[in-house]
Amino acid sequence: MTDFARFVETHVERIAPLDREAALAYWEASLSGSDEHFRRFSRLQKRIEEIYADTGAFAVVRRAWEEDGIEDPLLKRSAGVLYRRYLGNQVDPALLGRIVELASEVEGAFGTFRTEENGKTLTMNDVHDILRTSGDQERRRRVWEANKRVGRVVADRLLELVRLRNESARAAGFGDYHAMSLELAEQDGDELLALFDDLDRLTAGPFAAIKEEIDGHLAARFGVPAGELRPWHYEDPFFQEAVSVGDVDLDAFYRGTDPVVLARDFYAGLGMDVEPILRASDLYEREGKNPHAFCTDIDRRGDVRILANMKDNAYWMETILHELGHGVYDLGIDGELPWLLRTYPHLATTEAAAMFFGRLAQDPAWMRAALGLGDAETERIGLAVSRSLRAKQLVFARWCQVMFRFERELYRDPGGDLNALWWDLVERHQLVRRPDGRDEPDWATKIHIVSSPVYYHNYMLGEMIASLFASHVRRRFGVDGAGLHGRRDVGDWFNEVVFRPGNSHRWDRHVELATGEALTAAAFADQFVGEAP
């Protein structure tokens, strides 16, 4: 065993237990909203960050990474993983500790914030239900504004967090935290911007046509001119989800079903046993619990869990398919890989798998197989549901433009007029008019800016990679989402080619090896726009 191999072994013996404890603390905090659990998570994160701030250990890792003496490709890959992890922490430990504490504090404020309407506390499911169903425009506005009040609660602390993150990035030799985050994630900022610019060009026209149709529907529903529509007229507080248009109510197909069972049975047909995940999960809402959903790999040894707040509707059907997509990825990684590589190569690749499966909730033929629909019913809903999925993807693509470009500017100039910048981007990319005279930190109401900084663009990368996966499955196996039920050969491809390699390769190389194609906007455009560049 080489000196560096021994260093890695010792490092893992030290970091793996802490990583597990931190994951468990976050899990408990998310279930309870308890300040005590959030503080424990914060303390554990600080200990982890302090390990990666060790300058002597960084010198060892840097030598191993920069020299060409390592012949074992997995050990060399581990050196790169450690190099990037240590590099971002080569700053004052006190500063890192403050960042962790403040991030945990702000995330805790998000987790415990509840929307209130006329003295009544609303869950996020309640908020979404009101925005989906209520015809009372004044109530919609009142609930939308109440939901956005979390921005006032966290904005000042979030700006301080941005400044501290930038300070840490400059200490590590980067211009700002956004630039550092991309480089440490093996992403090129210029290439990413060019990819998003191309996606912007491809989706602008088709989205504008869909937005005009949506606005016409809403104008008729609420009896107002389209030019008077405001954010609360849409069904999602951020308009990151498409408005339902037409006579097909997707929720109606899932009402009275158990989406968890439907998802479990589907994955079983692919040869993917998700029972261990479901047994360890917490799937239904209750007081104090995080109102969102996520999947977490606790220990990289098979303890994979999902937090959700399940309902029998299309949103939660998609969500459980999506989160289990993360879960089967985690379980599918080769357990013999070194611990440092026993994870996905990038956030975008696990998002791609989750999105590939999550999309199926709006695939008419998949719905037929899952729900036992007849041919006539499937044909009746086919065009409308397919159009709905296309609208959903285009709406989300435009929303991701807002998040990507806002975070880029947030870290470049946190002292700028962020309230105005947010709505400038929303109006340009989403074509949603800002509320008249509003000057509030609505940008600060998106939890990802706190909990997953410089992350959101990976959702869109995930969508593009998911389209590459879909294209590859269609070419290689002759099936699309409609024909996936019971296709163990497709499940084997995901397990062996997509999941099993873990973090053995750089993410973009991994995508190319799995699909035979480099990542561009072409597959996404071909699937949802109808034209490729």
Side-chain angles (χ1 to χ4, degrees):
M1 182 181 291
T2 66
D3 289 343
F4 183 66
R6 278 190 289 271
F7 171 89
V8 171
E9 185 178 84
T10 301
H11 172 81
V12 170
E13 288 174 354
R14 186 181 183 192
I15 205 74
L18 280 176
D19 189 78
R20 180 179 181 276
E21 284 187 61
L24 287 171
Y26 183 77
W27 176 258
E28 293 300 327
S30 299
L31 292 183
S32 65
S34 161
D35 288 341
E36 178 185 349
H37 288 304
F38 275 112
R39 285 194 295 269
R40 173 169 167 73
F41 171 68
S42 177
R43 289 194 298 270
L44 288 164
Q45 282 295 103
K46 283 178 64 176
R47 289 172 62 186
I48 291 170
E49 299 305 324
E50 287 167 359
I51 288 173
Y52 285 108
D54 187 316
T55 56
F58 177 59
V60 174
V61 171
R62 186 170 188 167
R63 280 196 303 272
W65 172 239
E66 292 179 346
E67 295 174 1
D68 294 327
I70 300 178
E71 296 182 0
D72 181 348
L74 295 182
L75 186 59
K76 185 67 174 179
R77 179 67 180 161
S78 296
V81 169
L82 286 175
Y83 173 74
R84 287 181 292 275
R85 188 66 176 84
Y86 272 95
L87 179 59
N89 280 38
Q90 297 310 294
V91 295
D92 180 4
L95 174 59
L96 285 177
R98 178 60 182 147
I99 290 171
V100 172
E101 285 179 358
L102 189 54
S104 180
E105 179 183 322
V106 178
E107 190 166 350
F110 265 103
T112 57
F113 175 83
R114 293 294 182 269
T115 301
E116 291 190 3
E117 180 198 18
N118 295 332
K120 179 184 177 182
T121 299
L122 304 177
T123 67
M124 278 307 299
N125 276 326
D126 292 332
V127 171
H128 282 287
D129 285 344
I130 291 167
L131 293 180
R132 276 197 299 268
T133 63
S134 177
D136 183 340
Q137 295 183 69
E138 178 57 28
R139 187 186 189 202
R140 296 176 70 93
R141 181 193 62 77
R142 187 169 63 243
V143 169
W144 183 88
E145 290 179 347
N147 183 248
K148 296 296 181 182
R149 288 195 185 108
V150 69
R152 295 184 193 176
V153 174
V154 302
D156 289 344
R157 286 176 290 179
L158 179 49
L159 278 176
E160 177 62 17
L161 184 59
V162 168
R163 295 187 184 98
L164 292 175
R165 286 169 173 167
N166 273 347
E167 186 179 339
S168 72
R170 286 190 290 270
F174 296 92
D176 60 42
Y177 184 81
H178 191 273
M180 181 182 79
S181 296
L182 293 183
E183 184 160 332
L184 297 186
E186 298 184 282
Q187 293 179 333
D188 183 287
D190 292 336
E191 290 179 1
L192 193 61
L193 181 60
L195 184 62
F196 270 73
D197 283 346
D198 199 33
L199 183 69
D200 186 22
R201 175 183 63 82
L202 285 166
T203 58
F207 169 75
I210 284 175
K211 179 63 165 47
E212 184 176 4
E213 181 182 355
I214 289 172
D215 285 355
H217 168 78
L218 293 177
R221 176 184 174 188
F222 295 111
V224 298
E228 293 184 13
L229 294 173
R230 293 297 183 269
W232 49 83
H233 287 106
Y234 300 89
E235 294 181 4
D236 180 90
F238 295 99
F239 189 44
Q240 67 185 62
E241 296 280 348
V243 171
S244 301
V245 176
D247 58 357
V248 175
D249 177 10
L250 279 176
D251 287 343
F253 289 94
Y254 294 107
R255 200 166 293 128
T257 71
D258 187 338
V260 175
V261 172
L262 295 177
R264 180 201 66 194
D265 292 347
F266 166 67
Y267 278 102
L270 296 177
M272 300 176 182
D273 180 12
V274 299
E275 281 287 2
I277 300 174
L278 296 175
R279 283 196 299 269
S281 297
D282 193 294
L283 299 175
Y284 302 98
E285 68 181 355
R286 62 176 179 275
E287 185 65 28
K289 181 182 173 183
N290 185 317
H292 304 285
F294 64 83
C295 178
T296 180
D297 186 347
I298 297 293
D299 59 3
R300 305 192 189 187
R301 297 183 183 276
D303 186 352
V304 177
R305 309 177 184 185
I306 289 169
L307 179 145
N309 292 271
M310 296 298 302
K311 297 286 186 181
D312 56 346
N313 58 36
Y315 172 82
W316 284 106
M317 182 73 251
E318 177 181 355
T319 298
I320 194 63
L321 286 170
H322 179 106
E323 299 303 341
L324 283 172
H326 286 301
V328 294
Y329 199 135
D330 291 335
L331 289 183
I333 294 169
D334 185 357
E336 297 302 313
L337 282 170
W339 186 87
L340 289 169
L341 306 184
R342 210 179 300 151
T343 185
Y344 42 81
H346 195 274
L347 298 165
T349 61
T350 183
E351 290 299 341
M355 289 162 174
F356 175 91
F357 292 115
R359 289 174 182 175
L360 298 176
Q362 289 190 51
D363 184 310
W366 186 91
M367 293 169 66
R368 175 180 61 189
L371 299 170
L373 304 182
D375 290 344
E377 181 76 343
T378 304
E379 184 177 354
R380 182 184 73 80
I381 68 172
L383 179 59
V385 173
S386 297
R387 289 176 68 246
S388 174
L389 179 58
R390 180 173 184 265
K392 172 184 172 64
Q393 291 295 326
L394 289 174
V395 165
F396 186 70
R398 304 304 294 180
W399 158 245
C400 285
Q401 293 282 350
V402 173
M403 284 294 291
F404 169 63
R405 296 172 193 277
F406 178 81
E407 278 200 293
R408 189 166 176 264
E409 294 305 316
L410 170 66
Y411 286 100
R412 285 185 170 192
D413 183 17
D417 188 349
L418 298 174
N419 297 359
L421 172 64
W422 176 260
W423 283 107
D424 288 345
L425 291 170
V426 167
E427 289 186 332
R428 175 186 169 189
H429 294 285
Q430 294 182 280
L431 307 180
V432 174
R433 290 188 61 180
R434 73 189 75 195
D436 299 334
R438 187 171 177 82
D439 185 19
E440 295 287 340
D442 295 325
W443 54 272
T445 65
K446 193 60 179 171
I447 190 172
H448 296 74
I449 294 176
V450 181
S451 62
S452 306
V454 197
Y455 176 101
Y456 214 88
H457 65 279
N458 292 308
Y459 288 126
M460 195 61 238
L461 291 181
E463 294 286 9
M464 288 188 273
I465 298 169
S467 290
L468 272 182
F469 287 167
S471 175
H472 182 80
V473 167
R474 191 162 50 247
R475 291 194 316 270
R476 179 169 176 177
F477 301 101
V479 297
D480 54 19
L484 285 178
H485 280 272
R487 289 300 297 258
R488 291 194 172 230
D489 53 347
V490 176
D492 288 345
W493 175 75
F494 271 104
N495 274 321
E496 294 301 319
V497 179
V498 179
F499 304 158
R500 186 175 176 80
N503 192 15
S504 301
H505 306 286
R506 180 182 160 115
W507 70 276
D508 46 359
R509 176 60 177 157
H510 174 65
V511 170
E512 190 170 0
L513 287 171
T515 67
E517 296 182 56
L519 178 61
T520 68
F524 182 86
D526 184 58
Q527 189 171 6
F528 297 115
V529 175
E531 61 181 17

